[in-house]
Amino acid sequence: MKIAMGADHAGYRLKDELKPFLEALGHEVEDFGCSCGDSVDYPDYAIEVCDKVVSGEADKGILICGTGIGMTIAANKVPGIRCALVHDLFTAKATREHNDTNVLTLGERVVGPGVAQEIVKIWLETEFSHGERHQKRLDKVRAIEEKYALHP
């Protein structure tokens, strides 16, 4: 699987720890930065990752900032992105099974590297259930995207 990753200054250390973990699992990782503690703007990194996912150049995306909140907000502005902020194993699985998320956000100040690895592994390994009720809800989300893409 090809995974696009991005982080801001508050999440780059966790990104740099997760990248070799993902590669060891056999995934190809494209790193969009950042790679230092100098203050940067998280939307710049979110859009790079989300563009790759929406275009199909990446299968999934992972974004990391201090809390994960800012990256999640920015990512979910991109039509076609279903991004979830996850800090535990239960929601890592549920967000894939029920919501078919294609971008995962983590908060470096919230989860440590070990938990982050478990979250990422579960998130990547869990398939969308294709349950009728879940698909119906995703179709409604797409309709909302289409409505506001045409009438901002």
Side-chain angles (χ1 to χ4, degrees), residues 47-110:
I47 193 70
E48 293 279 344
V49 168
C50 291
D51 280 348
K52 290 294 182 179
V53 173
V54 169
S55 73
E57 294 175 64
D59 300 300
K60 293 205 171 39
I62 298 174
L63 296 167
I64 307 167
C65 63
T67 62
I69 297 167
M71 286 287 200
T72 303
I73 292 169
N76 280 314
K77 298 296 181 188
V78 177
I81 293 297
R82 292 173 310 282
C83 179
L85 172 58
V86 174
H87 293 139
D88 63 77
L89 305 180
F90 175 78
T91 53
K93 184 173 182 173
T95 192
R96 286 287 308 128
E97 284 183 342
H98 297 193
N99 309 110
D100 196 20
T101 53
N102 51 12
V103 177
L104 171 70
T105 306
L106 300 166
E108 181 178 305
R109 296 175 181 154
V110 182

Side-chain angles (χ1 to χ4, degrees), residues 9-78:
H9 59 280
Y12 82 93
R13 288 174 297 276
L14 183 56
K15 175 186 62 70
D16 289 349
E17 288 191 40
L18 286 174
K19 185 177 175 183
F21 172 75
L22 290 165
E23 291 169 339
L25 291 175
H27 301 291
E28 180 184 343
V29 178
E30 188 171 1
D31 186 343
F32 290 93
C34 95
S35 294
C36 68
D38 297 338
S39 184
V40 297
D41 299 327
Y42 60 82
D44 299 337
Y45 300 91
I47 193 70
E48 293 279 344
V49 168
C50 291
D51 280 348
K52 290 294 182 179
V53 173
V54 169
S55 73
E57 294 175 64
D59 300 300
K60 293 205 171 39
I62 298 174
L63 296 167
I64 307 167
C65 63
T67 62
I69 297 167
M71 286 287 200
T72 303
I73 292 169
N76 280 314
K77 298 296 181 188
V78 177

